[in-house]
Short mmCIF file of all heavy atoms in Angstrom, two decimals:
data_model
loop_
_atom_site.label_atom_id
_atom_site.label_comp_id
_atom_site.label_asym_id
_atom_site.label_seq_id
_atom_site.Cartn_x
_atom_site.Cartn_y
_atom_site.Cartn_z
N VAL H 59 151.68 9.02 240.44
CA VAL H 59 153.03 9.02 240.98
C VAL H 59 153.64 10.39 240.72
O VAL H 59 153.26 11.07 239.77
CB VAL H 59 153.89 7.91 240.33
CG1 VAL H 59 153.32 6.55 240.67
CG2 VAL H 59 153.97 8.10 238.82
N PRO H 60 154.57 10.85 241.55
CA PRO H 60 155.14 12.19 241.36
C PRO H 60 155.83 12.32 239.99
O PRO H 60 156.72 11.55 239.65
CB PRO H 60 156.15 12.30 242.50
CG PRO H 60 155.68 11.32 243.53
CD PRO H 60 155.07 10.19 242.76
N LYS H 61 155.36 13.29 239.20
CA LYS H 61 155.96 13.59 237.89
C LYS H 61 155.71 15.05 237.57
O LYS H 61 154.75 15.65 238.07
CB LYS H 61 155.33 12.72 236.79
CG LYS H 61 155.83 11.29 236.70
CD LYS H 61 155.24 10.60 235.47
CE LYS H 61 155.75 9.17 235.34
NZ LYS H 61 155.18 8.51 234.13
N LEU H 62 156.54 15.62 236.72
CA LEU H 62 156.33 16.98 236.24
C LEU H 62 155.44 16.94 235.00
O LEU H 62 155.86 17.28 233.89
CB LEU H 62 157.67 17.66 235.95
CG LEU H 62 158.57 17.91 237.15
CD1 LEU H 62 159.88 18.54 236.73
CD2 LEU H 62 157.86 18.80 238.18
N GLU H 63 154.20 16.49 235.18
CA GLU H 63 153.24 16.39 234.10
C GLU H 63 151.92 17.03 234.51
O GLU H 63 151.69 17.31 235.70
CB GLU H 63 153.03 14.92 233.72
CG GLU H 63 154.29 14.27 233.14
CD GLU H 63 154.08 12.82 232.73
OE1 GLU H 63 152.95 12.31 232.99
OE2 GLU H 63 155.00 12.23 232.16
N LYS H 64 151.05 17.25 233.53
CA LYS H 64 149.83 18.02 233.77
C LYS H 64 148.94 17.45 234.89
O LYS H 64 148.51 18.21 235.75
CB LYS H 64 149.02 18.14 232.48
CG LYS H 64 149.40 19.35 231.65
CD LYS H 64 148.40 19.58 230.52
CE LYS H 64 148.72 20.88 229.80
NZ LYS H 64 147.73 21.15 228.73
N PRO H 65 148.62 16.17 234.92
CA PRO H 65 147.72 15.68 235.98
C PRO H 65 148.23 15.98 237.38
O PRO H 65 147.43 16.21 238.30
CB PRO H 65 147.65 14.17 235.70
CG PRO H 65 147.98 14.02 234.26
CD PRO H 65 148.98 15.10 233.98
N GLN H 66 149.56 15.97 237.54
CA GLN H 66 150.13 16.23 238.85
C GLN H 66 150.25 17.73 239.14
O GLN H 66 150.19 18.14 240.30
CB GLN H 66 151.53 15.58 238.96
CG GLN H 66 151.52 14.07 239.04
CD GLN H 66 151.51 13.40 237.68
OE1 GLN H 66 151.25 14.03 236.67
NE2 GLN H 66 151.80 12.10 237.66
N LEU H 67 150.44 18.54 238.12
CA LEU H 67 150.76 19.96 238.31
C LEU H 67 149.56 20.88 238.24
O LEU H 67 149.61 22.00 238.75
CB LEU H 67 151.80 20.40 237.28
CG LEU H 67 153.16 19.70 237.34
CD1 LEU H 67 154.07 20.21 236.23
CD2 LEU H 67 153.81 19.95 238.69
N LEU H 68 148.49 20.45 237.58
CA LEU H 68 147.34 21.35 237.39
C LEU H 68 146.65 21.70 238.70
O LEU H 68 146.12 22.79 238.87
CB LEU H 68 146.33 20.73 236.42
CG LEU H 68 146.68 20.84 234.94
CD1 LEU H 68 145.65 20.10 234.11
CD2 LEU H 68 146.75 22.30 234.51
N ARG H 69 146.62 20.75 239.63
CA ARG H 69 145.90 20.98 240.89
C ARG H 69 146.43 20.00 241.94
O ARG H 69 147.13 19.04 241.60
CB ARG H 69 144.40 20.72 240.70
CG ARG H 69 144.07 19.28 240.37
CD ARG H 69 142.59 19.08 240.11
NE ARG H 69 142.15 19.72 238.90
CZ ARG H 69 142.21 19.17 237.69
NH1 ARG H 69 142.73 17.96 237.55
NH2 ARG H 69 141.77 19.80 236.63
N LEU H 70 146.10 20.27 243.20
CA LEU H 70 146.34 19.27 244.23
C LEU H 70 145.45 18.07 243.98
O LEU H 70 144.35 18.19 243.42
CB LEU H 70 146.06 19.86 245.61
CG LEU H 70 146.97 21.01 246.06
CD1 LEU H 70 146.53 21.51 247.42
CD2 LEU H 70 148.43 20.56 246.10
N THR H 71 145.88 16.89 244.40
CA THR H 71 145.17 15.66 244.10
C THR H 71 144.56 15.07 245.36
O THR H 71 145.20 15.04 246.41
CB THR H 71 146.14 14.62 243.47
OG1 THR H 71 146.77 15.21 242.35
CG2 THR H 71 145.37 13.39 243.03
N ARG H 72 143.34 14.62 245.24
CA ARG H 72 142.65 13.99 246.37
C ARG H 72 143.34 12.67 246.74
O ARG H 72 143.65 11.86 245.88
CB ARG H 72 141.19 13.72 246.00
CG ARG H 72 140.42 14.94 245.61
CD ARG H 72 139.10 14.63 244.94
NE ARG H 72 138.13 14.03 245.84
CZ ARG H 72 136.87 13.77 245.49
NH1 ARG H 72 136.44 14.06 244.28
NH2 ARG H 72 136.05 13.21 246.36
N LYS H 73 143.53 12.44 248.03
CA LYS H 73 144.10 11.17 248.49
C LYS H 73 143.14 10.02 248.22
O LYS H 73 143.55 8.92 247.86
CB LYS H 73 144.43 11.25 249.97
CG LYS H 73 145.57 12.20 250.32
CD LYS H 73 145.85 12.19 251.81
CE LYS H 73 147.00 13.12 252.16
NZ LYS H 73 147.26 13.15 253.63
N ASN H 74 141.85 10.28 248.45
CA ASN H 74 140.81 9.30 248.15
C ASN H 74 139.66 10.06 247.51
O ASN H 74 139.20 11.06 248.05
CB ASN H 74 140.31 8.60 249.42
CG ASN H 74 141.37 7.73 250.06
OD1 ASN H 74 141.52 6.57 249.74
ND2 ASN H 74 142.12 8.33 250.98
N SER H 75 139.20 9.59 246.36
CA SER H 75 138.12 10.30 245.67
C SER H 75 136.92 9.39 245.49
O SER H 75 137.06 8.18 245.33
CB SER H 75 138.59 10.81 244.30
OG SER H 75 138.96 9.73 243.45
N TYR H 76 135.74 10.00 245.56
CA TYR H 76 134.52 9.25 245.29
C TYR H 76 133.46 10.20 244.77
O TYR H 76 133.12 11.19 245.43
CB TYR H 76 134.00 8.54 246.54
CG TYR H 76 132.76 7.72 246.23
CD1 TYR H 76 132.87 6.53 245.52
CD2 TYR H 76 131.50 8.17 246.60
CE1 TYR H 76 131.75 5.79 245.19
CE2 TYR H 76 130.36 7.42 246.27
CZ TYR H 76 130.49 6.24 245.57
OH TYR H 76 129.38 5.52 245.23
N VAL H 77 132.96 9.92 243.57
CA VAL H 77 131.83 10.63 242.98
C VAL H 77 130.80 9.59 242.60
O VAL H 77 131.05 8.73 241.76
CB VAL H 77 132.25 11.45 241.75
CG1 VAL H 77 131.03 12.10 241.10
CG2 VAL H 77 133.27 12.52 242.12
N GLY H 78 129.66 9.65 243.25
CA GLY H 78 128.61 8.68 243.02
C GLY H 78 127.64 8.69 244.20
O GLY H 78 127.61 9.63 244.99
N VAL H 79 126.87 7.63 244.31
CA VAL H 79 125.88 7.52 245.39
C VAL H 79 126.53 6.91 246.62
O VAL H 79 127.29 5.94 246.52
CB VAL H 79 124.69 6.66 244.94
CG1 VAL H 79 123.71 6.46 246.10
CG2 VAL H 79 123.97 7.31 243.75
N ALA H 80 126.26 7.49 247.77
CA ALA H 80 126.70 6.92 249.05
C ALA H 80 125.51 6.90 250.00
O ALA H 80 124.68 7.82 249.99
CB ALA H 80 127.85 7.72 249.64
N TRP H 81 125.42 5.85 250.81
CA TRP H 81 124.33 5.69 251.77
C TRP H 81 124.89 5.82 253.19
O TRP H 81 125.94 5.27 253.51
CB TRP H 81 123.67 4.32 251.61
CG TRP H 81 122.97 4.13 250.30
CD1 TRP H 81 123.55 3.91 249.08
CD2 TRP H 81 121.56 4.15 250.06
NE1 TRP H 81 122.59 3.78 248.10
CE2 TRP H 81 121.35 3.92 248.67
CE3 TRP H 81 120.44 4.32 250.89
CZ2 TRP H 81 120.10 3.87 248.10
CZ3 TRP H 81 119.18 4.26 250.32
CH2 TRP H 81 119.00 4.04 248.96
N TYR H 82 124.17 6.55 254.03
CA TYR H 82 124.56 6.76 255.41
C TYR H 82 123.36 6.42 256.30
O TYR H 82 122.23 6.81 255.98
CB TYR H 82 124.96 8.22 255.66
CG TYR H 82 126.02 8.75 254.71
CD1 TYR H 82 125.68 9.22 253.45
CD2 TYR H 82 127.35 8.79 255.09
CE1 TYR H 82 126.64 9.72 252.59
CE2 TYR H 82 128.33 9.29 254.24
CZ TYR H 82 127.96 9.75 252.98
OH TYR H 82 128.93 10.23 252.14
N ASN H 83 123.59 5.69 257.40
CA ASN H 83 122.46 5.44 258.30
C ASN H 83 122.90 5.43 259.76
O ASN H 83 124.08 5.23 260.08
CB ASN H 83 121.72 4.15 257.94
CG ASN H 83 122.55 2.90 258.15
OD1 ASN H 83 123.63 2.93 258.72
ND2 ASN H 83 122.04 1.77 257.66
#
């Protein structure tokens, strides 16, 4: 949520994030 804190201010934030295995066919 919008705040003047480190997680929000250090970088832009991904709207949707995924790190792991993904399958495409």
